[in-house]
Coordinates of all heavy atoms in Angstrom, one line a residue:
M1 N -84.2 270.2 128.6 CA -83.5 268.9 128.9 C -84.3 267.8 128.4 O -85.5 267.6 128.5 CB -83.4 268.8 130.4 CG -82.8 267.6 130.9 SD -82.3 267.8 132.6 CE -80.5 268.1 132.3
A2 N -83.6 266.9 127.7 CA -84.2 265.7 127.1 C -84.6 264.6 128.1 O -83.9 264.4 129.1 CB -83.3 265.1 126.0
C3 N -85.8 264.1 127.9 CA -86.3 263.1 128.8 C -85.8 261.6 128.3 O -85.7 261.4 127.1 CB -87.8 263.1 128.7 SG -88.5 261.7 129.8
Q4 N -85.1 260.9 129.3 CA -84.6 259.6 128.9 C -85.8 258.6 128.7 O -86.8 258.6 129.5 CB -83.7 259.0 130.1 CG -82.5 259.9 130.2 CD -81.5 259.7 129.1 OE1 -81.5 258.9 128.3 NE2 -80.8 260.8 128.9
R5 N -85.7 257.8 127.7 CA -86.8 256.8 127.4 C -86.5 255.6 128.4 O -85.4 255.1 128.7 CB -86.8 256.3 126.0 CG -87.0 257.5 125.1 CD -87.1 256.9 123.7 NE -87.5 258.1 122.8 CZ -87.7 257.9 121.5 NH1 -87.6 256.6 121.0 NH2 -88.0 258.9 120.8
P6 N -87.6 255.0 128.8 CA -87.5 253.9 129.8 C -86.8 252.7 129.1 O -86.1 252.0 129.7 CB -89.0 253.5 130.1 CG -89.7 254.7 129.9 CD -89.0 255.5 128.8
S7 N -87.0 252.6 127.8 CA -86.3 251.4 127.1 C -84.8 251.5 127.1 O -84.1 250.6 127.2 CB -86.9 251.3 125.7 OG -86.7 252.4 124.9
F8 N -84.4 252.8 126.9 CA -82.9 253.1 127.0 C -82.3 252.7 128.4 O -81.3 252.0 128.5 CB -82.6 254.5 126.7 CG -81.2 254.9 126.9 CD1 -80.3 254.6 125.9 CD2 -80.8 255.6 128.0 CE1 -78.9 255.0 126.2 CE2 -79.5 256.0 128.3 CZ -78.6 255.6 127.3
M9 N -83.0 253.0 129.4 CA -82.7 252.8 130.8 C -82.6 251.3 131.0 O -81.7 250.8 131.7 CB -83.4 253.6 131.8 CG -83.4 255.0 131.6 SD -81.7 255.7 131.7 CE -81.5 255.5 133.5
F10 N -83.6 250.6 130.5 CA -83.7 249.1 130.6 C -82.5 248.5 130.0 O -81.8 247.6 130.6 CB -85.0 248.6 130.0 CG -85.0 247.1 130.0 CD1 -85.3 246.4 131.2 CD2 -84.8 246.4 128.8 CE1 -85.4 245.0 131.2 CE2 -84.9 245.0 128.8 CZ -85.2 244.4 130.0
V11 N -82.1 248.9 128.8 CA -81.0 248.3 128.0 C -79.7 248.6 128.7 O -78.9 247.7 128.9 CB -81.0 248.8 126.6 CG1 -79.7 248.4 125.9 CG2 -82.2 248.3 125.8
V12 N -79.5 249.8 129.3 CA -78.3 250.1 130.0 C -78.3 249.3 131.2 O -77.2 248.8 131.6 CB -78.2 251.6 130.4 CG1 -77.1 251.9 131.2 CG2 -78.0 252.4 129.1
G13 N -79.3 249.1 132.0 CA -79.3 248.3 133.2 C -79.0 246.9 132.9 O -78.3 246.3 133.7
L14 N -79.6 246.3 131.8 CA -79.3 245.0 131.4 C -77.9 244.8 131.1 O -77.3 243.7 131.5 CB -80.2 244.6 130.3 CG -80.3 243.2 129.9 CD1 -80.7 242.3 131.0 CD2 -81.1 243.0 128.6
E15 N -77.3 245.7 130.4 CA -75.9 245.6 130.0 C -75.1 245.6 131.2 O -74.0 244.7 131.4 CB -75.5 246.7 129.1 CG -76.1 246.6 127.7 CD -75.7 247.8 126.8 OE1 -75.0 248.7 127.3 OE2 -76.1 247.7 125.7
L16 N -75.3 246.5 132.2 CA -74.6 246.5 133.5 C -74.6 245.2 134.2 O -73.7 244.7 134.7 CB -75.0 247.7 134.3 CG -74.2 247.9 135.6 CD1 -72.7 248.2 135.3 CD2 -74.8 249.0 136.3
T17 N -75.9 244.6 134.3 CA -76.1 243.4 135.0 C -75.3 242.3 134.4 O -74.7 241.5 135.0 CB -77.6 243.0 134.9 OG1 -78.4 244.1 135.6 CG2 -77.9 241.8 135.7
V18 N -75.2 242.3 133.0 CA -74.5 241.2 132.3 C -73.0 241.3 132.6 O -72.3 240.3 132.8 CB -74.8 241.2 130.8 CG1 -73.8 240.3 130.1 CG2 -76.3 240.8 130.5
I19 N -72.5 242.6 132.6 CA -71.1 242.8 132.9 C -70.7 242.4 134.2 O -69.7 241.7 134.5 CB -70.7 244.3 132.6 CG1 -70.9 244.6 131.1 CG2 -69.4 244.7 133.2 CD1 -70.8 246.2 130.8
V20 N -71.5 242.7 135.2 CA -71.2 242.4 136.6 C -71.3 240.8 136.8 O -70.4 240.2 137.5 CB -72.2 243.1 137.6 CG1 -72.1 242.5 139.0 CG2 -72.0 244.6 137.6
L21 N -72.4 240.2 136.2 CA -72.5 238.7 136.2 C -71.2 238.0 135.7 O -70.7 237.1 136.2 CB -73.7 238.3 135.6 CG -74.1 236.8 135.6 CD1 -74.3 236.4 137.1 CD2 -75.2 236.5 134.8
V22 N -70.8 238.5 134.5 CA -69.6 237.8 133.9 C -68.3 238.1 134.7 O -67.5 237.1 135.0 CB -69.4 238.5 132.5 CG1 -68.0 238.1 131.9 CG2 -70.5 238.1 131.5
A23 N -68.2 239.2 135.4 CA -67.1 239.4 136.3 C -67.1 238.5 137.4 O -66.0 238.0 137.9 CB -67.0 241.0 136.7
V24 N -68.2 238.4 138.1 CA -68.4 237.5 139.3 C -68.1 236.1 139.0 O -67.4 235.4 139.6 CB -69.7 237.7 139.9 CG1 -70.0 236.7 141.1 CG2 -69.9 239.1 140.6
V25 N -68.8 235.6 137.9 CA -68.6 234.2 137.5 C -67.1 234.0 137.1 O -66.5 232.9 137.4 CB -69.5 233.9 136.3 CG1 -69.2 232.5 135.7 CG2 -70.9 233.9 136.9
G26 N -66.5 234.9 136.4 CA -65.1 234.8 136.0 C -64.1 234.7 137.1 O -63.2 233.9 137.1
K27 N -64.4 235.5 138.2 CA -63.5 235.5 139.3 C -63.7 234.3 140.1 O -62.7 233.6 140.6 CB -63.9 236.7 140.2 CG -62.9 236.9 141.4 CD -63.1 238.2 142.1 CE -62.0 238.3 143.2 NZ -62.1 239.6 143.8
F28 N -65.0 233.7 140.2 CA -65.1 232.6 140.9 C -64.6 231.3 140.2 O -63.8 230.5 140.8 CB -66.7 232.3 141.0 CG -67.0 231.0 141.8 CD1 -67.3 231.0 143.2 CD2 -67.2 229.8 141.2 CE1 -67.6 229.9 143.8 CE2 -67.5 228.6 141.9 CZ -67.7 228.7 143.2
C29 N -64.8 231.3 138.9 CA -64.2 230.1 138.0 C -62.6 230.2 138.1 O -62.0 229.1 138.2 CB -64.7 230.2 136.6 SG -66.4 229.7 136.6
G30 N -62.0 231.4 138.0 CA -60.7 231.5 138.0 C -60.0 231.0 139.4 O -59.0 230.3 139.4
T31 N -60.6 231.4 140.4 CA -60.2 231.1 141.7 C -60.3 229.5 142.0 O -59.4 228.9 142.5 CB -60.9 231.8 142.9 OG1 -60.7 233.2 142.6 CG2 -60.4 231.6 144.2
Y32 N -61.5 229.0 141.6 CA -61.7 227.6 141.7 C -60.8 226.7 141.0 O -60.1 225.8 141.5 CB -63.2 227.3 141.3 CG -63.5 225.8 141.5 CD1 -63.9 225.4 142.7 CD2 -63.4 225.0 140.4 CE1 -64.3 224.0 142.9 CE2 -63.7 223.6 140.5 CZ -64.2 223.1 141.8 OH -64.6 221.8 141.9
A33 N -60.6 227.1 139.7 CA -59.6 226.3 138.8 C -58.2 226.5 139.3 O -57.5 225.5 139.4 CB -59.6 227.0 137.4
G34 N -57.7 227.7 139.8 CA -56.5 227.8 140.4 C -56.3 226.9 141.7 O -55.2 226.3 141.9
A35 N -57.3 226.9 142.5 CA -57.2 226.1 143.8 C -57.1 224.6 143.4 O -56.4 223.9 144.1 CB -58.4 226.5 144.7
R36 N -58.0 224.2 142.5 CA -58.0 222.8 142.1 C -56.6 222.4 141.4 O -56.2 221.3 141.7 CB -59.1 222.5 141.2 CG -60.5 222.5 141.7 CD -60.8 221.5 142.7 NE -60.8 220.2 142.0 CZ -60.5 219.0 142.5 NH1 -60.3 219.0 143.8 NH2 -60.6 217.9 141.8
S37 N -56.0 223.3 140.7 CA -54.8 222.9 140.0 C -53.7 222.8 141.0 O -52.7 222.2 140.7 CB -54.4 224.0 138.9 OG -54.0 225.2 139.6
Q38 N -53.8 223.3 142.2 CA -52.8 223.3 143.2 C -53.1 222.2 144.3 O -52.5 222.0 145.3 CB -52.7 224.6 144.0 CG -52.2 225.8 143.2 CD -50.8 225.4 142.6 OE1 -49.9 225.1 143.3 NE2 -50.8 225.6 141.3
G39 N -54.1 221.3 143.9 CA -54.4 220.1 144.7 C -55.4 220.2 145.8 O -55.6 219.3 146.6
L40 N -56.1 221.4 145.9 CA -57.2 221.5 147.0 C -58.3 220.7 146.6 O -58.6 220.6 145.4 CB -57.6 223.0 147.1 CG -57.0 223.8 148.2 CD1 -55.6 224.0 148.1 CD2 -57.7 225.1 148.3
P41 N -58.9 220.0 147.6 CA -60.2 219.3 147.3 C -61.3 220.2 146.7 O -61.3 221.4 146.9 CB -60.6 218.8 148.6 CG -59.4 218.8 149.5 CD -58.6 220.0 148.9
S42 N -62.2 219.6 146.1 CA -63.3 220.4 145.4 C -64.0 221.2 146.3 O -64.4 222.4 146.0 CB -64.2 219.4 144.6 OG -65.2 220.1 143.9
Q43 N -64.4 220.7 147.5 CA -65.2 221.6 148.4 C -64.4 222.7 148.9 O -65.0 223.8 149.0 CB -65.7 220.6 149.6 CG -66.7 221.3 150.4 CD -67.3 220.4 151.5 OE1 -66.7 219.3 151.8 NE2 -68.5 220.7 152.1
D44 N -63.2 222.5 149.3 CA -62.3 223.6 149.8 C -62.1 224.6 148.6 O -62.1 225.8 149.0 CB -61.0 223.0 150.2 CG -61.1 222.3 151.5 OD1 -62.2 222.5 152.3 OD2 -60.2 221.5 151.9
A45 N -61.9 224.2 147.4 CA -61.7 225.1 146.3 C -63.0 226.0 146.1 O -62.9 227.2 145.8 CB -61.3 224.4 145.0
G46 N -64.1 225.4 146.2 CA -65.4 226.2 146.2 C -65.5 227.1 147.3 O -66.0 228.3 147.1
R47 N -65.2 226.8 148.5 CA -65.2 227.7 149.6 C -64.3 229.0 149.4 O -64.6 230.1 149.6 CB -64.9 227.1 150.9 CG -65.8 226.1 151.4 CD -65.4 225.4 152.6 NE -66.4 224.5 153.1 CZ -66.2 223.3 153.7 NH1 -64.8 223.1 154.0 NH2 -67.1 222.6 154.1
L48 N -63.0 228.5 148.9 CA -62.1 229.8 148.6 C -62.6 230.6 147.5 O -62.4 231.8 147.6 CB -60.7 229.1 148.2 CG -59.6 230.1 147.9 CD1 -59.3 230.9 149.1 CD2 -58.4 229.3 147.4
A49 N -63.2 230.0 146.5 CA -63.7 230.9 145.4 C -64.9 231.7 145.8 O -65.0 232.9 145.4 CB -64.2 229.9 144.3
A50 N -65.7 231.2 146.8 CA -66.8 232.0 147.3 C -66.3 233.1 148.2 O -66.8 234.3 148.2 CB -67.7 231.2 148.1
L51 N -65.2 232.9 148.9 CA -64.5 233.9 149.8 C -63.8 234.9 149.0 O -63.5 236.1 149.4 CB -63.6 233.3 150.8 CG -64.3 232.6 151.9 CD1 -63.3 231.9 152.8 CD2 -65.1 233.5 152.7
S52 N -63.5 234.7 147.8 CA -62.8 235.6 146.9 C -63.7 236.9 146.6 O -63.1 237.9 146.2 CB -62.3 235.0 145.6 OG -63.4 234.8 144.7
R53 N -65.0 236.8 146.8 CA -65.8 237.9 146.6 C -66.2 238.7 147.8 O -66.8 239.7 147.9 CB -67.2 237.4 146.0 CG -67.1 237.0 144.6 CD -66.8 238.1 143.6 NE -67.8 239.2 143.7 CZ -67.5 240.4 143.4 NH1 -66.4 240.7 143.0 NH2 -68.4 241.3 143.5
A54 N -65.6 238.1 149.0 CA -65.9 238.9 150.3 C -65.0 240.1 150.4 O -63.9 240.1 150.0 CB -65.6 237.9 151.4
P55 N -65.6 241.1 150.9 CA -64.9 242.3 151.2 C -63.8 242.2 152.3 O -64.1 241.5 153.3 CB -65.9 243.4 151.5 CG -67.1 242.6 152.1 CD -67.0 241.3 151.3
V56 N -62.6 242.7 152.0 CA -61.6 242.6 153.0 C -61.1 244.0 153.3 O -60.9 244.8 152.5 CB -60.4 241.8 152.5 CG1 -59.3 241.7 153.4 CG2 -60.9 240.4 152.1
R57 N -61.1 244.2 154.6 CA -60.6 245.5 155.2 C -59.3 245.3 155.8 O -59.1 244.6 156.7 CB -61.6 246.1 156.1 CG -62.9 246.4 155.5 CD -63.9 246.9 156.5 NE -65.2 247.0 155.9 CZ -66.0 247.9 156.0 NH1 -65.7 249.0 156.7 NH2 -67.2 248.0 155.4
V58 N -58.3 246.0 155.2 CA -57.0 245.9 155.7 C -56.5 247.3 156.2 O -56.7 248.3 155.5 CB -56.0 245.4 154.6 CG1 -54.6 245.4 155.1 CG2 -56.5 244.1 154.1
R59 N -55.9 247.2 157.4 CA -55.4 248.5 157.9 C -53.9 248.6 157.6 O -53.1 247.7 157.9 CB -55.5 248.5 159.5 CG -57.0 248.7 159.9 CD -57.1 249.1 161.4 NE -58.5 249.3 161.7 CZ -58.8 249.6 162.9 NH1 -57.9 249.8 163.8 NH2 -60.0 249.9 163.2
G60 N -53.6 249.6 156.9 CA -52.3 249.9 156.5 C -51.5 250.7 157.5 O -52.1 251.2 158.6
A61 N -50.3 251.0 157.2 CA -49.5 251.9 158.1 C -50.1 253.3 158.2 O -50.5 253.9 157.2 CB -48.1 252.0 157.6
G62 N -50.3 253.7 159.4 CA -50.9 255.1 159.6 C -52.4 255.2 159.5 O -53.0 256.2 159.7
A63 N -53.1 254.1 159.3 CA -54.5 254.1 159.4 C -55.0 254.1 160.8 O -54.4 253.4 161.8 CB -55.0 252.8 158.8
A64 N -56.0 254.8 161.2 CA -56.6 254.9 162.5 C -57.5 253.8 162.8 O -58.2 253.2 162.1 CB -57.3 256.3 162.7

């Protein structure tokens, strides 16, 4: 079995970090821009954008 090099693992971890960071920033900016375009004040748009990353648990039909 081949041993993974630490530099390879560092690069893969760094790439994953960049991908997640871009996804989070993109979702925040998109929500903020959408809220502002609909007339929400800047502070409320920021709050809505921050909440867009919050986990939501929804109970559907048949859920216990």
